[in-house]
């Protein structure tokens, strides 16, 4: 009888932690996913970055020393500028050895993630080599993992960068 009661108490304690007990992390992994695709018809590189909303907001709040709400920002233009500046400063590309500038298209929240969209316009030909420096959320999480998937002319390549690894090259 005492053993059964003890098991029930342990079970209840796991659902209702003692006051003052820190809450567990929202998720155990810190991951971003960056998708890049060379669009032959439009002759541009399309880029989508997927980042957990809470991690992204925490990082932006730390940088800007203010509360950040990307779901329903008080000032959408300011939120757009924060997202654009952050990604542009932490995702650097070279196409065939030439640095390029990302053009911000916007962002949206989907469930618990933020999707931000960019393009590199007027890329006359499909790149043969793409060099990337990706330091997304490195200043906030020393367990950050940045996944990247690159597609050029139907050829898809992927890699994983674990903090502090930040550089990758893709040849097509």
């Amino acid at each position: 009888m005492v053993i059964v009661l003890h098991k029930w108490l342990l079970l209840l304690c796991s659902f209702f932690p003692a006051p003052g007990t820190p809450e567990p992390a929202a998720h155990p992994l810190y991951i971003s996913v960056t998708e890049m695709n060379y669009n032959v018809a439009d002759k541009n590189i399309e880029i989508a970055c997927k980042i957990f909303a809470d991690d992204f907001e925490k990082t932006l709040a730390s940088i800007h020393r203010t509360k950040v709400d990307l779901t329903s920002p008080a000032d959408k233009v300011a939120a757009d500028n924060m997202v654009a500046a952050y990604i542009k400063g932490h995702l650097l590309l070279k196409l065939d050895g030439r640095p390029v500038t990302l053009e911000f298209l916007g962002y949206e929240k989907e469930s618990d993630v933020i999707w931000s969209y960019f393009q590199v316009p007027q890329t006359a030909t499909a790149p043969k080599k793409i060099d990337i420096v990706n330091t997304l959320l490195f200043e906030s999480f020393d367990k950050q993992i940045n996944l990247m998937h690159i597609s050029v002319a139907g050829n898809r390549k992927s890699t994983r960068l674990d903090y502090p690894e930040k550089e990758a090259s893709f040849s097509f």
Side-chain angles (χ1 to χ4, degrees), residues 79-132:
D80 284 346
N81 289 338
M82 277 193 276
V83 169
Y86 182 82
I87 301 287
K88 287 179 178 184
H90 290 81
L91 186 66
L92 309 174
L93 302 180
K94 285 184 184 178
L95 303 179
D96 297 322
R98 183 182 47 100
V100 295
T101 302
L102 304 183
E103 181 180 294
F104 180 65
L105 302 175
Y107 80 88
E108 65 183 344
K109 184 165 191 259
E110 176 186 280
S111 184
D112 59 349
V113 298
I114 299 292
W115 282 98
S116 55
Y117 304 102
F118 297 83
Q119 70 176 356
V120 178
Q122 302 170 337
T123 308
T125 60
K128 292 180 180 22
K129 185 175 181 191
I130 300 175
D131 297 305
I132 303 170

Side-chain angles (χ1 to χ4, degrees), residues 28-31 137-138 140-146 160-163:
L29 297 174
Y30 301 100
I31 297 177
L137 304 185
F138 276 11
S140 295
F141 307 106
D142 63 1
K143 292 186 178 166
Q144 180 67 31
I145 298 168
N146 292 327
R160 169 184 166 158
L161 298 175
D162 296 323
Y163 176 89

Side-chain angles (χ1 to χ4, degrees), residues 16-22:
F16 303 103
T21 303

